[in-house]
Amino acid sequence: MFGLEALDLARIQFAFTISFHILFPAITIGLASYLAVLEGLWLKTHNDTYRDLYHFWSKIFAVNFGMGVVSGLVMAYQFGTNWSRFSDFAGSVTGPLLTYEVLTAFFLEAGFLGVMLFGWNKVGRKLHFFSTVMVAIGTLISTFWILASNSWMQTPQGFEIVNGQVIPTDWLAIVFNPSFPYRLMHMATAAFVATAFFVGSSAAWHLLRGRDNPAIRTMLSMAMWMALIVAPIQAVIGDFHGLNTLEHQPAKIAAIEGHWENKGNEATPLILFGWPDMKEEKTKFAVEIPYLGSLILTHSLDKQVPALKEFPPEDRPNSTIVFWSFRVMVGLGFLMIFTGLWSLWLRKRDTLYTSRPFLYLALWMGPSGLIAILAGWFTTEIGRQPWVVYGLMRTADASSNHSFMQMSITLIMFVVVYFALFGAGLGYMMRLVRKGPKTDEGKETNEGGPGQKRTPARPLSAADDEGADADSPRSLEKEI
């Protein structure tokens, strides 16, 4: 079917499941830190706006966290089912790294998550804040170990091969491999930026519909400050990451640039747009800027960038895909920087919350961070091909011996189940976002907790109709 083989379906299945999964940890990382900041500000200022926002976003965090855990378990099982040869070859490295994640990050998150979600009126304020901070730290520790494992597959070191298997010889070298620091910073920063635009988009949606209150304004303000500060930092980190990739994976850079061959001693141009053709070995309809490729990638005007024809055809990544996925990521990055700068200009003019053109931009930029993460992930992983462990094991040698029919059936099942299960979860999250934070302005407020209207302990009953009591018979009937 479509010229695909069992190996292609195995790759598509892994790409499909990880594309769903990566969205949830990204938002979890950002929201966990956001919640810690909100609670810290509430404890310091006693401003109820921060408390209201904490209760609101903790519900969304709980649902997102649950979907992230479920989708992550599938990823672990796939290593044994679809990629058993890879597990046999490199399991002595990837297995312990994933185990460290469970023993540190997952246990930390699980231990304090219950206190964070259910302990608002059960424990003291300082202990509750400590629990929120521990959950936030746990998400970052999880990122540390996952990126250590994946980065080792990109730039492996600290091992020897004995009887066809990888044997660790230096765990510090394995964990802190050459690409790890750049990839860790790039991914963590991407999660913060994606969450900022998710939060900002939610605030813009409410402001465009006339719901203007301190909580909504605070959401937009905090989100735009994050975009203004962090989006440019992400661009700088990306530049350093690109230089590291040029050093260790030059074929990936050549594919990203759609650059096929160097001409004499000429500097490498930057191809803005075009269509890399893997069969004809050229980039069609190329729009080039002279010298700019050398300037960006080598920080000089005379050094050349490696070209795809310098590598054997069987060692070349698919330039057609990574060329465009990279440009989607970079294009969205520039839009994020522009949005942050525009917000600063409007803030100085005191029109940040009333400029409808800006609010519409902020609304439509809501999924931009997540799309950029997916595009960057495709660039990284497809650009590593044809290797599953760069320079050591080819993807074709890593898959299990499954038939085309087996892979077709399981892929179809994954697609159906994922769209049904996670589609329902995402739909529920959007219902929560549309409701917005409850502020009870001008009325006596409570601080949430079990049995209270604004409790963060019951995220799955938080999307009842506007004005309905969460514990009313009508609400309970809807839950059943």
Side-chain angles (χ1 to χ4, degrees):
M1 183 177 63
F2 304 112
L4 298 176
E5 299 178 355
L7 173 63
D8 301 312
L9 295 181
R11 291 181 60 191
I12 292 172
Q13 185 179 119
F14 196 85
F16 175 79
T17 53
I18 201 171
S19 295
F20 263 90
H21 172 67
I22 197 174
L23 302 178
F24 303 121
I27 295 298
T28 297
I29 294 166
L31 278 185
S33 295
Y34 182 48
L35 289 171
V37 170
L38 288 173
E39 188 169 5
L41 289 172
W42 176 65
L43 290 173
K44 181 178 180 179
T45 66
H46 303 290
N47 185 338
D48 289 345
T49 296
Y50 297 121
R51 182 199 59 196
D52 295 332
L53 288 176
Y54 180 93
H55 288 340
F56 171 63
W57 286 107
S58 65
K59 300 181 183 86
I60 297 172
F61 172 84
V63 177
N64 189 82
F65 185 90
M67 291 193 291
V69 171
V70 172
S71 59
L73 290 174
V74 175
M75 307 303 304
Y77 282 114
Q78 278 191 316
F79 285 118
T81 56
N82 292 354
W83 304 98
S84 58
R85 293 173 182 169
F86 163 74
S87 297
D88 181 62
F89 175 74
S92 57
V93 170
T94 59
L97 292 178
L98 296 179
T99 301
Y100 298 153
E101 188 229 352
V102 173
L103 293 176
T104 55
F106 191 74
F107 281 5
L108 186 66
E109 292 169 327
F112 287 99
L113 183 65
V115 178
M116 171 185 165
L117 294 179
F118 299 97
W120 189 263
N121 281 343
K122 298 289 187 180
V123 299
R125 293 180 177 183
K126 292 183 179 179
L127 178 55
H128 190 276
F129 176 59
F130 178 77
S131 299
T132 303
V133 171
M134 288 300 101
V135 171
I137 293 175
T139 62
L140 293 173
I141 293 176
S142 179
T143 307
F144 178 94
W145 291 116
I146 294 298
L147 266 295
S149 177
N150 186 269
S151 297
W152 181 85
M153 294 166 63
Q154 301 277 348
T155 51
Q157 66 174 22
F159 67 94
E160 61 182 7
I161 297 179
V162 179
N163 296 326
Q165 293 180 320
V166 172
I167 304 298
T169 59
D170 186 344
W171 277 105
L172 285 178
I174 288 173
V175 173
F176 297 99
N177 58 81
S179 65
F180 170 68
Y182 305 97
R183 289 165 53 76
L184 176 64
M185 290 188 294
H186 201 51
M187 182 61 202
T189 306
F192 291 136
V193 174
T195 303
F197 279 96
F198 179 44
V199 172
S201 177
S202 172
W205 191 89
H206 288 285
L207 288 170
L208 285 168
R209 280 150 185 78
R211 188 178 184 189
D212 189 345
N213 59 51
I216 300 298
R217 289 193 170 210
T218 300
M219 284 167 54
L220 183 64
S221 178
M222 295 179 73
M224 290 303 103
W225 277 124
M226 177 65 77
L228 176 67
I229 297 171
V230 180
I233 293 175
Q234 177 73 316
V236 175
I237 296 173
D239 179 62
F240 282 110
H241 189 193
L243 296 177
N244 177 264
T245 304
L246 177 63
E247 178 183 356
H248 296 280
Q249 296 177 310
K252 179 188 290 188
I253 291 296
I256 288 172
E257 295 302 310
H259 179 52
W260 288 94
E261 58 183 331
N262 288 309
K263 300 177 181 178
N265 295 321
E266 293 182 10
T268 305
L270 176 68
I271 302 177
L272 287 177
F273 304 106
W275 188 260
D277 191 313
M278 297 300 293
K279 291 184 178 180
E280 296 189 22
E281 297 186 342
K282 68 177 182 179
T283 298
K284 300 178 179 178
F285 319 113
V287 178
E288 301 180 350
I289 300 179
Y291 299 100
L292 192 56
S294 292
L295 181 62
I296 292 176
L297 290 165
T298 68
H299 292 182
S300 72
L301 291 174
D302 55 359
K303 295 181 181 179
Q304 294 180 329
V305 177
L308 278 169
K309 288 186 178 180
E310 297 176 14
F311 305 94
E314 63 274 13
D315 291 345
R316 300 171 187 169
N318 190 318
S319 180
T320 309
I321 298 177
V322 299
F323 179 90
W324 280 105
S325 61
F326 178 79
R327 277 151 183 77
V328 168
M329 178 186 67
V330 172
L332 289 173
F334 279 119
L335 272 176
M336 293 174 190
I337 294 174
F338 170 76
T339 304
L341 292 174
W342 191 3
S343 73
L344 178 63
W345 185 72
L346 291 175
R347 195 187 298 270
K348 290 184 176 181
R349 294 170 57 90
D350 200 27
T351 57
L352 177 63
Y353 311 107
T354 56
S355 173
R356 295 186 70 83
F358 173 78
L359 292 177
Y360 274 111
L361 174 62
L363 174 63
W364 287 105
M365 287 292 288
S368 62
L370 296 175
I371 296 173
I373 288 175
L374 286 176
W377 196 259
F378 292 160
T379 302
T380 296
E381 299 306 309
I382 297 175
R384 183 183 59 195
Q385 300 301 319
W387 306 98
V388 65
V389 182
Y390 198 78
L392 297 179
M393 185 181 202
R394 292 181 180 272
T395 305
D397 300 325
S399 62
S400 302
N401 188 24
H402 293 318
S403 68
F404 179 85
M405 181 59 67
Q406 290 172 324
M407 295 309 306
S408 299
I409 293 174
T410 55
L411 176 58
I412 292 172
M413 291 176 62
F414 269 115
V415 171
V416 172
V417 171
Y418 267 54
F419 274 107
L421 179 62
F422 296 115
L426 290 171
Y428 182 78
M429 285 176 57
M430 291 303 102
R431 285 182 62 193
L432 292 175
V433 169
R434 287 196 297 269
K435 282 182 63 64
K438 296 181 180 180
T439 59
D440 293 336
E441 294 180 5
K443 301 179 182 179
E444 181 181 354
T445 62
N446 61 68
E447 297 183 1
Q452 302 295 333
K453 292 182 180 180
R454 301 224 306 275
T455 173
R458 300 174 57 226
L460 296 182
S461 64
D464 54 333
D465 289 343
E466 192 69 31
D469 190 315
D471 293 318
S472 67
R474 180 186 179 189
S475 176
L476 294 175
E477 181 181 349
K478 287 186 67 176
E479 286 184 43
I480 295 173

